[in-house]
Amino acid sequence: GLGNVAGDQLKAASDLGVPVVGVGLLYQQGYFRQVIDRDGNQEALYPYNDPGQLPITPVRHPNGEWLRLEIALPGYSVWLRAWQVQVGRVKLYLLDSNDAANFPAYRGITSELYGGGPDVRLKQELLLGIGGWRLLRALGIKPDVCHLNEGHAAFAVLERARDFMEETGQPFDVALAVTRAGNLFTTHTAVAAGFDRFAPDLVEQYLGGYAEKKLGISLHDLMALGRQNPNDASESFNMAYLAIRGSGAVNGVSRLHGKVSRHLFEPLFPHWPADEVPVSHITNGVHMPNWDSAAADELWTEACGKDRWLGTMETLEQDIRRVSDARLWQFRTAASQPLIDYARQRLARHYAAAGASPEEVEEARRLFDPNILTLGFARRFATYKRPNLLLHDPERLLRLLSNPQRPVQLIIAGKAHPADKEGQALIQEWIHFIRRPEVRPYAIFLSDYDMLLTEHLVQGVDVWLNTPRRPWEACGTSGMKVLVNGGINLSELDGWWAEAYVPDLGWALGDGQEHGNDLAWDAAEAEALYDRLEREVIPEFYTRDDKGIPTAWVARMRESMARLTPRFSANRTVREYTEQHYLPSAAAYHERAAVKGAMGRQMVNWQHSLEQKWAALHFGEVKLETKGEQHIFEIHVGLNGLDPKAVRVELYADGIKGSPPVRQEMTLLHPLADESGGYVFSATVSATRAPTDFTARVMPHCDGVAIPLEDSRILWQR
């Protein structure tokens, strides 16, 4: 999923002319290939992908030799070579340890996604972060902005700082203060257990020498970058924490996920309100030209022009609304046949490979009807995604599917992680249901879910189902891919659908609240799903006018296409990243890097001063005067010798009924006559709130520094 999102953003960057370079690993055995055996068990296969058969080229020196990078690990070096992928106008570089210069044991480090244990995982992330940054330098590429797509790449933070140290002679703390302004961390994880963590002894083994010899810092200081409590020697090293401490901005991948992430990272910002934890959001999008069918491309071109995804997409909503009901329905009915043909061929091929009888193989070639309502459900089989919610009452599901007047057909696909036995059991449950003779005409499971299957599914299904347990779907982009093709979403109010859903665009599950692992709630949602299908979705599809057009369905489809397709396009996502992060980050990095990092040195000195004096900061007398419609506060603050410009003093009041909090900066009036280092601050606020609603607080302040991301100290008036 993460690879699809990144790939779509690279394609959109190419379309829009945003100067981006991608860096990743070449997994020569990739993610596993899935086979379902006769008992419904998932088997994982790892065929070798020959790079010579892939659309990639070796990265070579001008003399024709491979470009190789040496990464020193304890006791030996790993040599990395690189491959180049041309993504339109954008280049993607993939690092590969399968080089003859390496010992056999090390050639396979990059062979598998999720391969091996923590040791292999840590090596992969070292090669990606440190090796990836060194590759860019070897190619003469000097990025202003380093966008960390998940914490896996966070070691690039260290190598970028080391690079700056080498260029300028600055120590690590200054180099990190400078370079972090140009780093952006995007988190895709919705649960704390999803962050990569490594045991302290493993980090010491692989990075202890690097920290001391290359970064000039102690192991303790390195570990502190990845810990909540720097002084807890037993705490593991969290890659997300490293990414946060090494970045100038952090974002989640949907509005709801931004809120979830603020709670996940609250421990790093003690005493700050959850809403002020510095995590924003930019909702993912998909590259629409990649996922639309030929028929969809033709329809959109007729309505909106060929270059519709290359600009700001302002007119698309109005343009697609002008398409007639008849044209839209003709387009949708035509889209079903290619999916049915593909599903029949793929299923017949799987049956034959599994040793099914000729009769069963032939039956697979005749399954399904393009005129019947087709539901699609395809994703990773993990318990939190609740892929078996539809199977809560198998007999009711069968009655829904096999209704002779209004039949429904269901296509299921998805893989479970090879180590996830619970997820594999969910697949087996579906296989056993589908293999019942009375179910077989209405439901199929297509094994080995991949991008090709995704492409056919999102282009041909009428309704896309998604049933995760809120709020564990960070974003989810599969449902976005049906939008351009006229498919309609029926999904839990989680991830992107929580911000996309309105009643005339699709259907929603859930009440928009979190219910944890409540099995009773799961059962209630399953019943609600059956009801929604039975009473709303299926009748709307089959209720036709005198021309055979389901007018209410087509109206919903048109609104989904018009309002959601531009909004959840990777075009919009990349424009938001560029405007909100890439351009400001580049400017901030250049400002800090000027004169060999002089601003970074000032920042470090400012923080040292805070460290020495912060503990003795305190509040003194509070004076309150209410005049008409205003409260006037005067507050004494002891700054223990700190320059008043090094802090910001505010009056704070919680928001009411969803409104934002009040944050009123207080003005410095004068020093206190009877207290050295004491000052009087004043602020005026509206008397519509009681004076007891307001609390004074002191926080660090330095021009151009992100608070609390770069310094999380805060002192509240008690």
Side-chain angles (χ1 to χ4, degrees):
L2 207 56
N4 277 331
V5 168
D8 277 15
Q9 287 183 15
L10 287 184
K11 292 166 192 167
S14 170
D15 291 345
L16 296 171
V18 179
V20 170
V21 174
V23 180
L25 300 181
L26 181 75
Y27 300 108
Q28 289 191 351
Q29 290 174 256
Y31 197 38
F32 73 95
R33 307 299 299 271
Q34 180 193 54
V35 172
I36 305 297
D37 70 15
R38 297 184 72 87
D39 296 321
N41 297 305
Q42 171 182 285
E43 293 181 10
L45 305 176
Y46 295 90
Y48 172 78
N49 297 303
D50 179 3
Q53 301 299 310
L54 300 175
I56 62 179
T57 55
V59 178
R60 299 184 185 276
H61 290 291
N63 65 2
E65 289 291 320
W66 275 94
L67 186 152
R68 283 185 171 85
L69 300 164
E70 182 183 10
I71 308 296
L73 295 181
Y76 60 90
S77 288
V78 172
W79 290 91
L80 290 176
R81 55 187 184 177
W83 303 82
Q84 178 183 304
V85 189
Q86 193 70 40
V87 186
R89 290 183 281 182
V90 164
K91 288 183 171 64
L92 165 65
Y93 293 100
L94 300 173
L95 296 163
D96 173 18
S97 67
N98 188 17
D99 189 280
N102 290 324
F103 289 117
Y106 313 139
R107 293 182 66 169
I109 292 173
T110 62
S111 64
E112 289 175 34
L113 178 65
Y114 305 136
D119 184 82
V120 172
R121 183 76 166 179
L122 180 58
K123 288 180 200 169
Q124 287 185 343
E125 297 187 5
L126 280 169
L127 299 187
L128 173 62
I130 295 174
W133 189 263
R134 288 184 188 173
L135 172 67
L136 295 175
R137 296 313 306 265
L139 294 169
I141 298 168
K142 292 187 68 173
D144 293 329
V145 179
C146 179
H147 188 167
L148 305 170
N149 196 34
E150 197 45 271
H152 316 315
F155 288 129
V157 163
L158 304 179
E159 184 63 13
R160 183 178 191 182
R162 188 201 65 77
D163 208 16
F164 191 81
M165 292 167 65
E166 199 171 88
E167 275 186 12
T168 62
Q170 295 283 11
F172 176 77
D173 54 358
V174 174
L176 184 63
V178 170
T179 55
R180 71 177 295 173
N183 296 335
L184 166 65
F185 170 43
T186 296
T187 172
H188 299 256
T189 304
V191 289
F195 298 125
D196 277 351
R197 289 179 172 86
F198 296 108
D201 58 347
L202 201 61
V203 177
E204 180 178 7
Q205 179 186 347
Y206 285 103
L207 283 148
Y210 175 81
E212 291 172 8
K213 294 173 188 170
K214 300 291 187 182
L215 305 180
I217 61 174
S218 67
L219 178 66
H220 175 275
D221 288 346
L222 172 69
M223 294 299 296
L225 292 169
R227 282 177 169 158
Q228 179 186 333
N229 179 359
N231 298 315
D232 180 357
S234 65
E235 185 181 339
S236 57
F237 188 90
N238 186 316
M239 293 296 288
Y241 290 179
L242 171 63
I244 287 172
R245 295 211 173 96
S247 294
V250 181
N251 75 282
V253 289
S254 70
R255 186 170 63 204
L256 177 60
H257 182 237
K259 180 181 177 184
V260 168
S261 299
R262 285 189 284 277
H263 284 288
L264 286 178
F265 295 132
E266 232 177 329
L268 294 187
F269 303 92
H271 312 303
W272 283 84
D275 287 348
E276 292 187 276
V277 171
V279 183
S280 62
H281 79 274
I282 289 182
T283 303
N284 285 338
V286 299
H287 187 246
M288 295 300 174
N290 205 65
W291 299 105
D292 64 355
S293 64
D297 180 58
E298 184 181 325
L299 177 85
W300 283 86
T301 301
E302 283 174 22
C304 310
K306 194 67 181 171
D307 295 335
R308 59 194 173 274
W309 306 117
L310 303 182
T312 56
M313 310 181 294
E314 288 165 3
T315 64
L316 297 196
E317 185 173 331
Q318 294 81 2
D319 293 342
I320 208 73
R321 282 209 179 99
R322 297 191 191 102
V323 181
S324 69
D325 282 7
R327 176 70 178 96
L328 275 177
W329 187 239
Q330 175 265 325
F331 148 68
R332 261 318 301 162
T333 52
S336 299
Q337 187 65 56
L339 170 61
I340 301 306
D341 291 344
Y342 177 78
R344 288 168 173 170
Q345 293 166 9
R346 188 160 175 144
L347 190 65
R349 193 165 64 246
H350 291 165
Y351 275 18
S357 69
E359 293 77 22
E360 288 176 302
V361 174
E362 191 53 39
E363 180 192 25
R365 297 187 198 279
R366 296 192 303 271
L367 281 174
F368 282 23
D369 180 338
N371 299 308
I372 288 176
L373 174 63
T374 304
L375 312 180
F377 182 98
R379 56 197 19 87
R380 185 162 57 88
F381 269 61
T383 52
Y384 80 87
K385 290 181 180 281
R386 298 189 301 182
N388 289 31
L389 198 68
L390 258 181
L391 278 177
H392 173 71
D393 184 344
E395 302 315 312
R396 185 172 181 189
L397 175 59
L398 177 57
R399 289 195 299 275
L400 273 175
L401 297 174
S402 60
N403 183 319
Q405 281 74 46
R406 292 171 167 174
V408 178
Q409 52 202 18
L410 178 62
I411 302 178
I412 306 284
K415 297 175 177 178
H417 189 287
D420 182 2
K421 300 304 178 187
E422 289 177 289
Q424 292 171 42
L426 297 176
I427 292 176
Q428 190 174 41
E429 191 182 341
W430 265 115
I431 300 296
H432 288 167
F433 174 74
I434 287 168
R435 286 181 179 173
R436 288 167 53 180
E438 65 272 28
V439 176
R440 194 169 290 179
Y442 305 104
I444 58 175
F445 185 97
L446 295 178
S447 61
D448 203 26
Y449 180 40
D450 58 10
M451 286 181 72
L452 180 61
L453 175 53
T454 306
E455 188 178 302
H456 283 280
L457 282 174
V458 300
Q459 291 173 2
V461 298
D462 298 300
V463 176
W464 192 258
L465 296 172
N466 192 19
T467 54
R469 184 172 281 124
R470 178 181 163 121
W472 293 355
E473 183 90 288
C475 180
T477 56
S478 59
M480 298 176 186
K481 294 165 187 165
V482 304
L483 300 172
V484 71
N485 295 296
I488 302 176
N489 282 273
L490 194 179
S491 178
E492 182 74 25
L493 287 169
D494 195 11
W496 77 283
W497 192 239
E499 65 195 77
Y501 170 73
V502 288
D504 61 335
L505 299 178
W507 297 275
L509 271 181
D511 59 359
Q513 303 298 318
E514 281 82 60
H515 297 273
N517 292 312
D518 185 348
L519 297 180
W521 179 256
D522 289 352
E525 282 209 325
E527 293 299 326
L529 177 55
Y530 297 136
D531 288 346
R532 190 126 308 142
L533 288 167
E534 196 166 42
R535 298 172 188 171
E536 299 177 41
V537 179
I538 297 170
E540 191 170 292
F541 182 85
Y542 284 109
T543 301
R544 310 291 171 94
D545 67 6
D546 55 3
K547 296 176 183 174
I549 297 172
T551 52
W553 186 277
V554 170
R556 190 184 299 272
M557 184 175 102
R558 180 188 285 108
E559 286 305 296
S560 171
M561 293 175 75
R563 280 144 66 186
L564 298 184
T565 310
R567 188 172 155 201
F568 294 99
S569 159
N571 172 304
R572 185 268 311 152
T573 303
V574 169
R575 281 190 292 118
E576 288 187 359
Y577 273 118
T578 303
E579 293 162 5
Q580 295 176 30
H581 289 298
Y582 296 164
L583 293 173
S585 294
Y589 166 65
H590 279 290
E591 185 181 11
R592 291 192 188 183
V595 198
K596 294 190 174 182
M599 184 177 171
R601 168 55 65 195
Q602 290 168 8
M603 283 176 56
V604 168
N605 292 340
W606 163 74
Q607 285 189 307
H608 285 166
S609 181
L610 290 175
E611 284 166 17
Q612 292 163 10
K613 298 174 180 178
W614 189 267
L617 265 59
H618 61 277
F619 286 97
E621 183 182 353
V622 177
K623 295 179 182 177
L624 170 66
E625 184 180 2
T626 300
K627 286 186 178 177
E629 297 179 354
Q630 293 183 321
H631 299 310
I632 302 166
F633 285 86
E634 280 192 11
I635 297 178
H636 298 181
V637 184
L639 294 183
N640 188 32
L642 264 181
D643 184 337
K645 293 178 183 175
V647 298
R648 175 184 169 107
V649 183
E650 285 184 346
L651 278 183
Y652 177 92
D654 288 325
I656 301 173
K657 295 179 181 176
S659 66
V662 177
R663 292 185 55 180
Q664 178 63 48
E665 183 172 7
M666 303 192 78
T667 304
L668 173 63
L669 293 184
H670 53 77
L672 274 171
D674 57 350
E675 182 183 341
S676 175
Y679 297 86
V680 180
F681 290 83
S682 174
T684 301
V685 292
S686 170
T688 55
R689 302 279 296 268
T692 51
D693 285 0
F694 294 92
T695 307
R697 63 186 196 175
V698 182
M699 64 204 74
H701 173 76
C702 183
D703 287 340
V705 177
I707 303 296
L709 182 61
E710 296 188 272
D711 198 300
S712 63
R713 280 174 264 253
I714 189 166
L715 176 68
W716 292 85
Q717 174 196 358
R718 297 191 181 277

